[in-house]
């Protein structure tokens, strides 16, 4: 069913709850996650001592203006559990990653350059001296890999120095496969790409497994939507409805309620015949927004649109602001955040739910006057986790930046490390980097 968020605008009180839903606070790991070999399963199947393991990771960290200093080591820390597990098993770990978008050219420094800047911090995090080579395939790299001894760590060069990387080039895949006996995929953020280092290489090693990071992502994201503890609530925000259409359509098939925020809501308002003033709108998506509301009604899913918004007379942190009913926007005013009445309605819906998935901010949270909606949702998820044991998942992109900005990143069940990969999993798509792994 379709509903506006306010009782004054005819809130629809009923909602669909799956018959026989469990009262437990946890969902079951999805079959998709369990069908693929993970790193612990790999260690049970084979003796890893002295064996080369190629580990695909995501080392795309931000650099300071000096092009040398790592300013945020989150992604480096994320690889530690899997790497240390392999090292503890006596394996020789060969780290493999792209860095930026050099587009097949060798770039010496900067955000598209060599991986040299990450080496000092990796040394500290892994507790070993990481050896780096200046290529990712070829005789010199093969020689370095062949001389690794128990517990060594070798870092390959930026895989995207080869144009074939993003085309899943078989020569590059084969070259990477020559370096190791086994492959561990732990770069969830690139798992939705069929690249040589994420998917193709799996055809050239004995066994391929998911690392801890990837395995956790699969269990949380797939488990949340495939086997949730109901009621399942999804909160979807962001500027454009066009980028979220597939995920909204998929969630309408799986959720009990879907709460919408962000700039996309004005396309829905226009579909309802509301004046939206100078707010962001995608005119070519208006009919589709109407269709989504109709689909929700047909499926008995509660699709909740904000009933009030924070308006501004300019896209600026210094703009004049006002709070208005969704039906009372006009002139040069534009909506940049959800309003306080909507916040309370969202709070009520979240309080009813045992599994909550959030993707996309509620407003222009980068500007303080329009951050309350996004920060408020972050606080509601943290509260649901702490007080009720609800499973709360923040799915990639701006919503991750928002919850970290609010200082609540460690207060939810799971924060996804992948933007596009998170969306594609929620859409129900099969990720190439997962499909390539060895089945259990």
């Amino acid at each position: 069913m379709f509903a506006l968020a306010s009782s004054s605008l005819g809130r629809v009180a009923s909602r669909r709850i799956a018959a026989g839903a469990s009262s437990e606070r946890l969902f079951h790991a999805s079959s998709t996650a369990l069908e693929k070999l993970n790193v612990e399963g790999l260690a049970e199947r084979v003796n890893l001592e002295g064996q080369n393991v190629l580990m695909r990771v995501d080392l795309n960290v931000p650099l300071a203006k000096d092009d040398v200093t790592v300013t945020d080591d989150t992604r480096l820390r994320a690889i530690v559990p899997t790497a240390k597990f392999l090292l503890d098993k006596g394996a020789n770990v060969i780290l493999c990653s792209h860095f930026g978008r050099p587009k097949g050219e060798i770039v010496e420094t900067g955000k598209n350059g060599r991986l040299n800047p990450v080496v000092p911090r990796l040394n500290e995090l892994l507790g070993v001296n990481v050896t780096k080579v200046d290529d990712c395939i070829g005789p010199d790299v093969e020689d370095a890999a062949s001389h690794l001894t128990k517990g060594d760590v070798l870092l390959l060069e930026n895989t995207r120095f080869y144009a074939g990387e993003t085309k899943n080039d078989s020569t590059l895949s084969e070259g990477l496969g020559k370096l190791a006996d086994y492959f561990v995929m732990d770069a969830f953020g690139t798992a939705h790409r069929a690249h040589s280092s994420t998917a193709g290489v799996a055809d050239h090693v004995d066994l391929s497994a998911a690392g801890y990071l990837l395995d956790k992502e699969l269990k949380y994201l797939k488990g949340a939507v495939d086997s949730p503890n109901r009621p399942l609530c999804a909160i979807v925000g962001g500027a454009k409805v066009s980028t979220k259409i597939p995920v909204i359509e998929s969630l309408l098939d799986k959720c009990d309620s879907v709460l919408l925020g962000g700039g996309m809501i004005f396309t829905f308002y226009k579909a309802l015949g509301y004046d939206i003033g100078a707010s962001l709108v995608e005119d070519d998506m208006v009919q589709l927004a109407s269709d989504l509301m109709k689909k929700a009604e047909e499926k008995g899913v509660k699709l909740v649109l904000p009933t009030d918004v924070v308006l501004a007379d300019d896209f600026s942190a210094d703009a004049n602001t006002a709070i208005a009913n969704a039906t009372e926007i006009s002139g040069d005013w534009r909506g940049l955040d959800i309003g306080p009445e909507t916040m309370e309605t969202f709070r009520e819906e979240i309080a009813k739910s045992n599994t909550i998935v959030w993707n996309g901010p509620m407003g222009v949270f980068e500007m303080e006057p329009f951050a309350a909606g996004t920060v408020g949702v972050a606080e509601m998820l943290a509260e649901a986790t702490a007080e009720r044991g609800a499973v709360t998942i923040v799915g990639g992109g701006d919503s991750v930046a928002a919850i970290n900005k609010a200082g609540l990143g460690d207060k939810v069940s799971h924060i996804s490390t992948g933007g596009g990969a998170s969306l594609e999993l929620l859409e129900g798509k099969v990720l190439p980097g997962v499909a390539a792994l060895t089945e259990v």
Side-chain angles (χ1 to χ4, degrees), residues 33-262:
L34 297 178
E35 287 172 357
K36 296 298 181 178
L37 187 68
N38 63 23
V39 68
E40 291 186 3
L42 175 65
E44 291 173 0
R45 285 199 187 189
V46 296
N47 181 2
L48 293 175
E49 185 165 351
Q51 301 295 304
N52 285 4
V53 178
L54 179 67
M55 182 177 164
R56 179 50 161 100
V57 293
D58 184 357
L59 302 180
N60 281 265
V61 292
L63 301 177
K65 291 181 179 179
D66 62 7
D67 287 338
V68 174
T69 306
V70 174
T71 58
D72 183 348
D73 68 354
T74 301
R75 286 179 173 169
L76 303 186
R77 286 185 282 110
I79 78 168
V80 172
T82 302
K84 283 200 169 182
F85 174 83
L86 292 170
L87 291 172
D88 287 345
K89 294 296 181 181
N92 314 317
V93 177
I94 302 174
L95 300 175
C96 171
S97 176
H98 74 283
F99 195 63
R101 298 177 179 175
K103 299 179 179 179
E105 298 181 0
I106 295 176
V107 179
E108 293 299 328
T109 60
K111 63 181 181 180
N112 301 312
R114 295 188 181 277
L115 281 163
N116 299 41
V118 305
V119 174
R121 185 62 180 133
L122 286 177
N123 289 341
E124 295 172 356
L125 291 169
L126 298 177
V128 300
N129 289 322
V130 176
T131 301
K132 181 183 170 293
V133 288
D134 292 331
D135 206 336
C136 62
I137 59 171
D140 290 344
V141 180
E142 291 171 25
D143 182 65
S146 68
H147 285 89
L148 294 176
T149 56
K150 179 180 176 181
D152 283 348
V153 178
L154 180 70
L155 173 62
L156 306 184
E157 190 54 273
N158 189 344
T159 58
R160 289 191 186 173
F161 283 176
Y162 286 88
E165 158 72 328
T166 58
K167 301 172 184 176
N168 201 6
D169 177 70
S170 59
T171 301
L172 180 56
S173 299
E174 183 180 1
L176 291 168
K178 290 179 180 179
L179 307 177
D181 309 287
Y182 308 107
F183 173 62
V184 171
M185 176 63 176
D186 214 23
F188 175 69
T190 58
H192 62 310
R193 306 295 189 192
H195 292 175
S196 296
S197 68
T198 61
V201 64
D203 292 332
H204 302 280
V205 294
D206 294 335
L207 295 170
S208 300
Y212 285 120
L213 180 64
L214 177 60
D215 200 43
K216 183 182 178 184
E217 293 276 13
L218 293 175
K219 287 175 180 175
Y220 266 100
L221 287 168
K222 291 292 292 180
V225 295
D226 290 349
S227 306
N229 179 23
R230 293 189 181 276
L232 168 61
C233 172
I235 308 164
V236 184
K240 295 184 177 182
V241 68
S242 57
T243 62
K244 299 294 175 72
I245 287 168
V247 73
I248 294 174
E249 287 183 322
S250 177
L251 290 171
L252 288 178
D253 289 330
K254 299 170 180 178
C255 290
D256 300 294
S257 61
V258 178
L259 318 182
L260 299 183

Side-chain angles (χ1 to χ4, degrees), residues 348-412:
E348 292 173 12
E349 287 299 321
I350 290 170
K352 299 173 187 175
S353 304
N354 290 324
T355 305
I356 305 127
V357 179
W358 177 28
N359 184 283
M362 298 293 99
V364 188
F365 73 96
E366 298 89 346
M367 299 182 191
E368 193 62 34
F370 315 112
T374 302
V375 173
V377 167
E379 291 172 343
M380 293 174 205
L381 264 63
E383 182 179 298
T385 309
E387 296 186 2
R388 299 188 291 106
V391 175
T392 52
I393 300 163
V394 182
D398 288 338
S399 42
V400 173
I403 201 164
N404 285 331
K405 183 179 179 181
L408 298 170
D410 61 344
K411 304 300 182 182
V412 295

